[in-house]
Amino acid sequence: MPNKMNPKVDEFLSQATTWKEEMAKLRRIILDCELTEELKWRTPCYMFQNKNIVIIQPFKEYFAVMFFKGVLLKDPNDILIAPGENSQTQRQIRFTNAREIDEMESNLKAYIQEAILVEKAGLKVESKKITEFIIPEELQSKFAEMPALKTAFEALTPGRQKAYLLYFSKAKQSKTRQSRIEKYTQQIFDGKGLNE
């Protein structure tokens, strides 16, 4: 018997404009694995003992289940994909139709069970430390010019610092990096992350 369905996820699925049938199918499979259902980050998230295990992600071209500690899974079927070039811990299984879910249901359940075992074992992912990221020259100059900005930046959570460093560094031209730093200086002072 599947775990109780969360009314917030019912509402989310009723309002979905794409992948509605497919997400409902994934939901059923995941709930069969005895996980608790919540709505987090405006999407269905499934937990074991209040620890995030897997989340359903609808995108334009595909939909996915994303494992929070996916890098620790064995992946014997070679189906896990890093969601982005800077993803250190998460891994996705992507789908483009309901038939793929049907074909992969037993594998999907096996991956979910392994993810639960990873959580039960208390395994942790060693993420790249914030000190291992390169601080762009333009940001270093801004820190020298405004020491209070460096203090405010260092007070941010590591995740927020990482997001800023990646965003600033991604610009190819120095002028663009400077512009981005200027645009987000006040937000850093306010203790906010890149997308807050």
Side-chain angles (χ1 to χ4, degrees):
M1 168 114 177
N3 277 356
K4 187 177 174 200
M5 295 182 173
N6 186 310
K8 291 178 183 176
V9 176
D10 291 336
E11 185 179 342
F12 167 83
L13 289 173
S14 74
Q15 294 175 0
T17 55
T18 57
W19 310 118
K20 188 182 284 196
E21 173 195 343
E22 293 84 358
M23 288 190 294
K25 192 173 279 228
L26 284 173
R27 178 190 199 193
R28 179 191 54 77
I29 292 168
I30 295 168
L31 285 174
D32 278 348
C33 296
E34 302 299 319
L35 295 176
T36 304
E37 181 176 66
E38 295 291 336
L39 191 69
K40 290 186 171 187
W41 305 285
R42 296 182 299 244
T43 191
C45 180
Y46 300 86
M47 300 177 301
F48 174 78
Q49 296 178 347
N50 293 321
K51 302 285 188 186
N52 296 328
I53 300 293
V54 67
I55 195 164
I56 296 175
Q57 300 176 307
F59 295 100
K60 186 176 178 182
E61 303 293 324
Y62 63 90
F63 57 100
V65 290
M66 194 267 303
F67 293 89
F68 287 89
K69 293 183 180 177
V71 73
L72 298 177
L73 302 180
K74 291 183 182 79
D75 194 19
N77 301 301
D78 199 28
I79 54 176
L80 294 176
I81 299 168
E85 64 182 274
N86 297 306
S87 298
Q88 294 180 55
T89 60
Q90 302 92 358
R91 293 295 180 267
Q92 294 175 327
I93 298 176
R94 296 180 180 174
F95 304 93
T96 56
N97 60 59
R99 182 182 42 77
E100 292 173 339
I101 298 170
D102 293 335
E103 292 169 356
M104 209 180 291
E105 182 172 349
S106 61
N107 287 334
L108 184 55
K109 284 183 174 181
Y111 279 72
I112 292 168
Q113 291 305 322
E114 185 183 355
I116 293 169
L117 291 175
V118 162
E119 201 55 58
K120 282 181 177 178
L123 300 180
K124 304 264 187 239
V125 178
E126 284 299 319
S127 296
K128 192 173 174 184
K129 304 261 186 279
I130 197 66
T131 54
E132 296 176 60
F133 286 90
I134 295 170
I135 298 176
E137 191 177 307
E138 296 79 4
L139 186 58
Q140 291 177 25
S141 297
K142 194 70 169 172
F143 286 164
E145 179 187 318
M146 299 174 72
L149 179 62
K150 182 175 185 188
T151 302
F153 184 82
E154 289 172 349
L156 294 172
T157 63
R160 287 178 174 143
Q161 290 180 36
K162 176 185 161 188
Y164 280 120
L165 292 176
L166 292 172
Y167 179 67
F168 296 155
S169 298
K170 206 166 217 158
K172 290 185 172 87
Q173 296 183 6
S174 175
K175 181 178 165 183
T176 307
R177 287 189 292 275
Q178 287 173 337
S179 170
R180 288 179 178 185
I181 292 164
E182 289 296 327
K183 179 179 178 183
Y184 286 98
T185 295
Q186 187 57 52
Q187 204 157 314
I188 293 170
F189 275 122
D190 293 342
K192 294 182 177 175
L194 186 65
N195 298 312
E196 292 179 52

